[in-house]
Amino acid sequence: QVQLVESGGGLAQPGGSLRLSCAASGFTFRSHALSWARQAPGKGLEWVSGIDSDGSRYYADSVKGRFTISRDNAKNMLYLQMNTLKPEDTALYYCAKVRPGRGFYEYDYRGQGTQVTVSS
């Protein structure tokens, strides 16, 4: 079965960096688009970034220029490098498998999430 397991979250200071990782299994990783999404306390799920099977990358305006998504198809790993973190980046971050044939905002599987807290 499909499994997505996030790691790398934690506490960071404003202006700091974190790197999130997502270990995937149970599907043909290289053939699928993937996304990172986040949910802040009391708010809905927000799409953060997506990467297509051909490596094309997309970002929400709120993180463009600060976050970088990447994938390692040999290791079935998805990453999110987060730089210049802001308090408003505080959220539970999810790795998600994009529903085939749909946009980056529609998922058929997602992980349990990893918490990112940005605070001084």
Side-chain angles (χ1 to χ4, degrees), residues 3-59:
Q3 284 194 314
L4 298 164
V5 181
E6 303 93 338
S7 61
L11 176 64
Q13 292 191 337
S17 299
L18 285 172
R19 188 193 194 207
L20 305 184
S21 299
C22 174
S25 61
F27 64 101
T28 307
F29 183 84
R30 65 181 179 276
S31 299
H32 289 275
L34 302 159
S35 283
W36 286 99
R38 66 187 181 186
Q39 187 163 21
K43 296 190 177 180
L45 190 64
E46 176 192 17
W47 174 76
V48 173
S49 181
I51 186 166
D52 215 333
S53 57
D54 65 359
S56 300
R57 309 176 191 193
Y58 305 88
Y59 300 95

